Amino acid sequence: MSDPTTPEPEQPEPSPEILEEHERARERGVQEADEGKYTNEYVKQLRAESAEHRTKAREAEERVAKLRERVLRSEVHEHARGVLADPADLLAFADPADLVDHDGEPDAEKIKAKVDELVESKPHLAARRTTTDVGQGPRGKVPAPDALGAFGALLKGAAR
């Protein structure tokens, strides 16, 4: 209870922005905004707006997840190319959470470490490197064909 002899503390006057917001709220269907009572129509409108915002947020999160996945695949391909026969094998055999940092961004060091670990544990997934002559292309000096060529030599041999 307050003492009638003591004056009540003076309340600061609300700013024009606050007054405008209260007026806009009343225009949207708020009854007795100060008491917290709202019309059913206004509550339905707020719920619909909230549902729309939740839907948009969910869709945005899905898009972000897809983009993060694409970036991770790209980074894995970049760092595993030449080391693995198929860079996509890393994503098949490793947990994607082990390839990203605490922010969810691809971590090059973690990717390289996982590539090395995968090649060590499954050497058949490593890229094959040719270490010997594969026998293609010209080899040194090619002898000049005779005037008649190989077919002519064959005919000569058959005529004898």
Side-chain angles (χ1 to χ4, degrees):
M1 273 179 118
S2 64
D3 185 9
T5 58
T6 57
E8 288 194 22
E10 206 172 298
Q11 293 279 330
E13 191 163 322
S15 69
E17 293 85 21
I18 293 175
L19 292 173
E20 287 177 25
E21 182 60 34
H22 279 284
E23 186 58 37
R24 282 195 298 262
R26 283 188 187 94
E27 289 172 4
R28 288 186 301 210
V30 176
Q31 286 183 342
E32 303 171 10
D34 294 333
E35 295 178 20
K37 296 179 183 177
Y38 301 98
T39 64
N40 285 340
E41 181 180 315
Y42 181 66
V43 170
K44 286 179 185 178
Q45 178 187 356
L46 288 177
R47 287 181 179 159
E49 285 177 20
S50 178
E52 183 180 338
H53 290 300
R54 285 192 307 270
T55 302
K56 286 181 181 179
R58 192 175 313 113
E59 290 170 354
E61 287 172 356
E62 289 171 1
R63 283 194 304 269
V64 166
K66 286 179 183 177
L67 289 173
R68 282 185 188 264
E69 184 179 323
R70 286 177 64 187
V71 168
L72 179 62
R73 271 188 278 134
S74 175
E75 289 286 324
V76 164
H77 185 74
E78 179 183 333
H79 295 294
R81 182 181 32 215
V83 181
L84 292 175
D86 182 7
D89 287 342
L90 182 61
L91 292 173
F93 290 102
D95 183 11
D98 294 339
L99 306 174
V100 296
D101 60 13
H102 64 280
D103 291 331
E105 298 295 322
D107 187 340
E109 295 303 317
K110 288 182 178 182
I111 292 172
K112 290 176 186 175
K114 282 293 182 182
V115 167
D116 293 341
E117 183 181 312
L118 183 62
V119 168
E120 188 175 314
S121 67
K122 298 184 182 297
H124 61 280
L125 297 177
R128 290 176 175 77
R129 292 184 176 85
T130 332
T131 57
T132 61
D133 184 16
V134 292
Q136 296 179 351
R139 300 193 190 299
K141 193 170 188 176
V142 178
D146 62 350
L148 295 176
F151 185 67
L154 186 66
L155 288 177
K156 272 186 182 180
R160 290 185 203 180

